[in-house]
Amino acid sequence: MTDSHDSGIGPADIDALAAGRHADPFAVLGPHRKGDGICIRAFLPGAVTVEAVSDTGGVLALQPLRDGVFEGCADAGFLPTRTGYRLRIQWPGSFQETEDPYAFGLILGEEDLALIAQGAHEAVDDCLGGHCAEIEGVPGVRFAVWAPNARRVSVVGNFNAWDGRRHPMRLRYAAGVWELFVPRLTHGEAYKYELIGADGRLLPQKADPYARQAELAPASASVVADPEPFGWTDQAWMAGRAARHAPDAPISVYEVHVGSWLRRDDGGNWNWQELADRLIPYAREMGFTHLELMPIMEHPFGGSWGYQPLGLFAPTARYGSPRDFAAFVDRCHGAGLGVILDWVPAHFPSDVYGLARFDGTALYEYEDPREGFHQDWNTYIYNLGRNEVRNFVRASGLAWLRRYHVDGLRVDAVASMLYRDYSRREGEWIPNYYGGRENLEAISFLRELNEQVRRHVPDAMMIAEESTAWPGVTTPVGEGGLGFHYKWNMGWMHDTLRYMHDDPLFRHYHHHDMTFGMVYAYSEKFMLPLSHDEVVHGKGSLIGKMPGDRWQRFANLRAYFGFMWSHPGKKLLFMGGEIAQEREWNHDAQLDWDALADPLHAGMQRLVRDLNHAYAAVSALHRLDADSAGFRWIVGDDDRNSVFAYLRSDGDRHVLAVCNMTPVPRHEYLLGVPRGGRWREIVNTDAADYGGSGMGNGGGVEARHEASHGLPHALALTLPPLATLLLEPQE
């Protein structure tokens, strides 16, 4: 048996234990050598009697000293090993028998501690947090938390009446990590950490930053997650995923707020299984290739839509357990549908049980509010210049990709990370080391993150919500870029929505709003987003942005969707847009599905479905999305008529897209094309099935043998009012 030398327990030790302020409980609790014998001590305030029962069958009565401290001494033969005994405790009204937490040795290895301190541990979430484990044949839960400036850290829960004096942890000085193994605990146990800060103040009890499960809000404790691995059945999907995410693949994303897509009759949330029964077949029938879920990481305030998360490793309990979420992803993959998660590495909320001043100091955030406080959202900014914080945030992103087979992360608020003066006036921010506005720590973090993703999950997508002209967002890190796979094209979205909002009478003054996107279309690998951000905070709905009478508003939106689906770039549409929901999105209510009884709303839904299917089926619409050879303007300067025409090609196939953005039909509108023969209409957004007037070209038109627009053939088309036509050569 190996055990520590006993220096005895004095009045000061007992006072410190009773007050919950002993800095090194392992120095006085558990088994200790005393001369030629062994002495066992336990701190069990409220216990009536305590006995130590040896694995060899011996029983040692522990005598009460005072204030809940019990001690018993025996000869060394009483214990075959340091952990070879159990505590038999008689509480008022109950009985307990368990191994002694203070009999167990170190939990984390020296290499783990060194990597944690360096911020280089690639499995740090397996080390820190609360995990079911078996140590020396004893089942239980091992806890570990980073809190280098705390004077004392305890784990608390129902198992110790939330009494922070009962299970103080051991400090591993090399990394500032506190650890403890609590025997006989199991998954499902709720817990928090209780800390005494560097200044001696007792802090509010904290949730575990690395917890993989949490209680249902507004409860805020962490929960020990079930360690049983999920039985994945998506091997075929995972094997073919790289091709589905490539720049030449059709990617059409349906952005969803899980809690308000559809609700129960009583207004409650569906769980993951019930959502899978409804959402998956709907998205597949609509032709979307991926779901993008607004943040489902645990968050205290539902009104933040998940964008103020505190549980960066835990699926929110609002919709079920972590296993339920894994099953949802598995079912998506089985149906041929990918899953992207919104993920927030920029900032975190100030709730006292969370990361804010976690050990009484600015640990996860910057100390100076000019660096550490986000004025727009009243949140704290991660101090990505600190090794342990970088490791923490990076590990979260990788955990969703690896543990839950998630297909990609859409990284929120990248612009706010890149610039130190983001949304700040002069004097409200601190320049970087070189005096500039760039956040060098965040830039380095994003590059490290994307490099790790490419190394560990090479077929997953990293998508940046970056609203500025920062260069090289989707350029590989090795070539000086940030290393994302795709970037939301916010400029395209703002310009084109501004144009569509104009009365058609005045659109010719703003013709460039629709064409300017092609000036920079190949500077990044883009995704075209019509996201939730465009239908909240008083912005109304997509259909509400369209001008004119009711028919014209629907025609405008149909034409705009036709333009978007034929424009270079992957597609993203927020839920409700496909049914032309009239009201602004409300996270407390489901979508207005009853609107589909109206032919105009149902027609919009059919159009989006058909656009998605055409986009996937016709290679010319996606194969050269990131290559300028895939696009050619036919007519880009007809501002007088507000007509746009362009050719999408992949070398073998061609699609002619023509947009008439006025309510005036155009007849015999001549456009050059590369091939003769008949060109058929793939999509006509003015079709009667979509709620349009039914004007068009009878399903197709023969090309003339005359050159036009630098091409050898020409089509004389009827352009319906406020409509987009997509035509391809008929084989």
Side-chain angles (χ1 to χ4, degrees), residues 123-457:
V124 65
D125 51 316
D126 289 332
C127 290
L128 301 181
H131 300 281
C132 290
E134 186 174 293
I135 298 180
E136 298 187 34
V138 179
V141 176
R142 57 176 177 83
F143 298 95
V145 61
W146 177 58
N149 303 304
R151 291 190 183 180
R152 186 265 290 167
V153 181
S154 297
V155 60
V156 296
N158 290 326
F159 56 90
N160 62 14
W162 301 89
D163 184 348
R165 301 174 303 162
R166 291 271 305 279
H167 285 90
M169 305 171 78
R170 173 198 285 117
L171 174 60
R172 305 296 300 278
Y173 289 92
V177 169
W178 300 75
E179 64 179 17
L180 186 70
F181 176 65
V182 181
R184 303 297 167 182
L185 290 189
T186 187
H187 63 84
E189 193 76 48
Y191 70 98
K192 284 186 177 182
Y193 296 115
E194 185 178 278
L195 299 88
I196 293 177
D199 61 359
R201 289 187 304 111
L202 182 66
L203 303 176
Q205 292 178 348
K206 298 283 188 176
D208 188 344
Y210 282 91
R212 295 178 178 177
Q213 189 172 348
E215 288 186 311
L216 178 63
S220 57
S222 301
V223 175
V224 178
D226 186 347
E228 184 68 23
F230 181 77
W232 293 96
T233 64
D234 63 349
Q235 292 79 11
W237 168 272
M238 298 296 282
R241 189 168 69 169
R244 295 185 180 95
H245 294 168
D248 62 356
I251 298 175
S252 183
V253 180
Y254 188 47
E255 187 191 18
V256 173
H257 178 262
V258 173
S260 59
W261 182 74
L262 187 68
R263 287 183 177 267
R264 300 179 185 275
D265 291 341
D266 63 3
N269 291 323
W270 296 104
N271 61 36
W272 286 118
Q273 178 178 334
E274 294 162 331
L275 277 163
D277 292 340
R278 295 157 176 82
L279 177 56
I280 293 173
Y282 176 79
R284 286 300 297 150
E285 196 275 333
M286 286 295 295
F288 290 101
T289 63
H290 290 73
L291 295 174
E292 179 175 317
L293 308 182
M294 292 166 68
I296 55 93
M297 299 82 197
E298 194 57 77
H299 51 282
F301 176 46
S304 76
W305 316 326
Y307 289 100
Q308 294 192 9
L310 278 178
L312 257 65
F313 295 83
T316 178
R318 291 168 172 84
Y319 314 117
S321 70
R323 183 172 293 274
D324 295 333
F325 173 65
F328 175 82
V329 175
D330 197 48
R331 286 186 61 182
C332 284
H333 289 172
L337 194 65
V339 179
I340 300 166
L341 297 185
D342 276 11
W343 180 64
V344 187
H347 59 110
F348 59 90
S350 58
D351 300 67
V352 295
Y353 69 87
L355 299 177
R357 300 195 74 83
F358 187 81
D359 64 359
T361 67
L363 192 63
Y364 285 87
E365 67 273 34
Y366 290 97
E367 178 71 52
D368 193 315
R370 293 174 296 172
E371 296 179 288
F373 187 73
H374 215 304
Q375 302 171 115
D376 290 356
W377 302 309
N378 292 322
T379 52
Y380 290 116
I381 298 170
Y382 285 108
N383 180 359
L384 295 174
R386 187 158 193 168
N387 290 341
E388 298 90 344
V389 177
R390 293 160 77 96
N391 209 164
F392 166 74
V393 182
R394 194 170 59 236
S396 165
L398 285 164
W400 296 102
L401 298 174
R402 293 196 287 192
R403 186 174 305 129
Y404 292 106
H405 289 201
V406 165
D407 300 288
L409 299 177
R410 176 268 196 184
V411 183
D412 182 62
V414 170
S416 76
M417 300 174 70
L418 294 175
Y419 299 98
R420 285 178 161 266
D421 63 345
Y422 182 88
S423 196
R424 296 180 188 272
R425 294 187 294 269
E426 187 175 351
E428 293 180 345
W429 59 282
I430 298 176
N432 64 32
Y433 177 81
Y434 301 102
R437 58 196 287 254
E438 299 82 9
N439 189 325
L440 303 178
E441 297 92 340
I443 296 166
S444 173
F445 164 79
L446 291 170
R447 288 173 170 163
E448 289 174 5
L449 168 69
N450 288 326
E451 283 288 270
Q452 279 205 350
V453 170
R454 288 178 188 268
R455 187 164 65 251
H456 293 292
V457 202

Side-chain angles (χ1 to χ4, degrees), residues 18 204 246 401 462 487 595 634 643:
L401 298 174
M462 295 297 288
K487 171 182 172 174
I634 305 300
V643 170

Side-chain angles (χ1 to χ4, degrees), residues 60 144 217 363 391 471 511 572:
L60 174 65
L363 192 63
N391 209 164
H511 198 74
L572 180 140

